[in-house]
Amino acid sequence: MGLIWTLIVGGLIGLIAGALTKRGGSMGWIANIVAGLVGAWVGQALLGTWGPSLAGMALIPSIIGAVIVVIVTSFVLSKLN
Protein backbone atom coordinates (compact mmCIF):
# COMPACT_ATOMS: atom_id res chain seq x y z
CA MET A 1 0.00 0.00 0.00
CA GLY A 2 2.95 2.33 0.63
CA LEU A 3 4.09 2.13 -2.99
CA ILE A 4 0.62 2.98 -4.28
CA TRP A 5 0.39 5.94 -1.91
CA THR A 6 3.81 7.17 -3.08
CA LEU A 7 2.76 6.91 -6.74
CA ILE A 8 -0.48 8.79 -6.06
CA VAL A 9 1.31 11.62 -4.22
CA GLY A 10 4.01 11.71 -6.93
CA GLY A 11 1.30 12.00 -9.59
CA LEU A 12 -0.36 14.85 -7.71
CA ILE A 13 2.95 16.66 -7.32
CA GLY A 14 3.61 16.25 -11.05
CA LEU A 15 0.08 17.46 -11.84
CA ILE A 16 0.56 20.57 -9.69
CA ALA A 17 3.94 21.27 -11.29
CA GLY A 18 2.45 20.92 -14.77
CA ALA A 19 -0.38 23.27 -13.87
CA LEU A 20 2.00 25.85 -12.38
CA THR A 21 4.21 25.86 -15.47
CA LYS A 22 1.28 25.63 -17.92
CA ARG A 23 3.22 22.86 -19.68
CA GLY A 24 1.61 19.82 -18.13
CA GLY A 25 -1.50 19.67 -20.28
CA SER A 26 0.07 17.31 -22.79
CA MET A 27 1.66 15.12 -20.13
CA GLY A 28 -0.07 11.85 -19.36
CA TRP A 29 -0.55 10.38 -15.93
CA ILE A 30 2.64 8.32 -16.18
CA ALA A 31 4.66 11.44 -17.02
CA ASN A 32 3.02 13.24 -14.09
CA ILE A 33 4.05 10.45 -11.73
CA VAL A 34 7.61 10.41 -13.08
CA ALA A 35 7.88 14.22 -12.93
CA GLY A 36 6.52 14.18 -9.39
CA LEU A 37 8.86 11.46 -8.13
CA VAL A 38 11.95 12.84 -9.86
CA GLY A 39 10.94 16.35 -8.81
CA ALA A 40 10.56 15.21 -5.21
CA TRP A 41 14.05 13.78 -5.28
CA VAL A 42 15.54 16.91 -6.91
CA GLY A 43 13.65 19.31 -4.66
CA GLN A 44 14.58 17.52 -1.46
CA ALA A 45 18.21 17.20 -2.57
CA LEU A 46 18.42 20.94 -3.28
CA LEU A 47 16.15 22.36 -0.57
CA GLY A 48 15.96 19.76 2.18
CA THR A 49 12.90 18.21 3.81
CA TRP A 50 11.15 21.16 5.41
CA GLY A 51 7.43 21.84 5.35
CA PRO A 52 4.53 19.43 5.41
CA SER A 53 5.26 15.86 4.41
CA LEU A 54 3.09 13.24 2.74
CA ALA A 55 4.11 9.68 1.76
CA GLY A 56 7.69 10.44 2.81
CA MET A 57 7.96 13.49 0.52
CA ALA A 58 8.25 17.06 1.75
CA LEU A 59 5.55 18.73 -0.32
CA ILE A 60 6.90 22.24 -0.89
CA PRO A 61 10.45 21.25 -1.93
CA SER A 62 8.97 18.41 -4.00
CA ILE A 63 6.66 20.74 -5.92
CA ILE A 64 9.51 23.20 -6.53
CA GLY A 65 11.72 20.33 -7.73
CA ALA A 66 8.96 19.02 -10.00
CA VAL A 67 8.52 22.49 -11.51
CA ILE A 68 12.26 22.53 -12.26
CA VAL A 69 12.04 19.05 -13.82
CA VAL A 70 9.03 19.99 -15.99
CA ILE A 71 10.67 23.22 -17.20
CA VAL A 72 14.00 21.54 -18.00
CA THR A 73 12.30 18.59 -19.72
CA SER A 74 10.06 20.79 -21.86
CA PHE A 75 13.04 22.98 -22.78
CA VAL A 76 15.13 19.98 -23.85
CA LEU A 77 12.25 18.42 -25.80
CA SER A 78 11.54 21.70 -27.59
CA LYS A 79 15.19 21.93 -28.66
CA LEU A 80 15.08 18.37 -30.04
CA ASN A 81 12.07 19.10 -32.26
Side-chain angles (χ1 to χ4, degrees):
M1 187 67 183
L3 176 63
I4 294 172
W5 186 242
T6 301
L7 293 175
I8 291 170
V9 172
L12 290 174
I13 290 171
L15 183 69
I16 292 169
L20 289 174
T21 60
K22 308 259 192 287
R23 299 178 182 180
S26 62
M27 293 176 23
W29 58 275
I30 294 176
N32 280 333
I33 293 172
V34 171
L37 294 175
V38 173
W41 180 77
V42 169
Q44 290 180 25
L46 294 175
L47 303 171
T49 57
W50 52 274
S53 181
L54 193 61
M57 293 179 262
L59 294 178
I60 297 171
S62 296
I63 291 170
I64 294 170
V67 167
I68 293 169
V69 167
V70 168
I71 290 172
V72 168
T73 303
S74 66
F75 177 75
V76 169
L77 291 177
S78 71
K79 292 295 181 183
L80 292 177
N81 290 329

